[in-house]
Amino acid sequence: MTMPAAVRKKGWSRKQKRLAILAGFAVVLAIATTLVLVALRDQIVFFYSPSDVISREVEAGHPIRLGGLVKEGSWVRTGQENDFVVTDGAQDIAAHYSGILPDLFREGQGVVAEGSMGSDGKFTATNVLAKHDENYIPKEVVDALKASGEWRPEMGAQ
């Protein structure tokens, strides 16, 4: 049993059906991509600087990463209780961490702290990562360069 030619022409051709299916997949993919990007909008940033935290008015208890430099003269250690100030030069945020800090942690060095802001405006860190500067060269490399007579102090600090 075949359909009359007039009835067949009212429906979509195979090419039109394939194009409609592809267009449908493209729309679904675009919507899914948009939803993922909107959901990750605040999580994609590796860390917030103190100026970002203050300007975005991060709510208390919301987990974030705070990055910047440990302000000179701000680090107070009492046992494993550490209080310090993270600065980006424009804004400062007081931070507290209970535990053993990494060996590279010191004043004037970069730091990324995971934790949350308190209602008092103080950052409570649950994990602290110290960053070394970009001029860092491992001691073994410095020793090897000195032994070979190739050491130039401007290459890195040790």
Side-chain angles (χ1 to χ4, degrees), residues 3-24:
M3 297 177 73
V7 173
R8 274 188 280 156
K9 290 189 177 189
K10 288 184 180 176
W12 289 11
S13 69
R14 292 178 70 188
K15 184 177 179 180
Q16 290 173 325
K17 288 180 184 175
R18 278 186 259 150
L19 286 174
I21 290 171
L22 287 175

Side-chain angles (χ1 to χ4, degrees), residues 22 60 63 80 102 106 108 121 154:
L22 287 175
Q80 290 191 2
R106 63 181 67 109
E154 67 273 6

Side-chain angles (χ1 to χ4, degrees), residues 132-144:
H132 58 76
D133 70 10
E134 61 277 357
N135 296 324
Y136 173 76
I137 298 175
K139 184 178 183 323
E140 295 81 16
V141 174
V142 171
D143 292 342

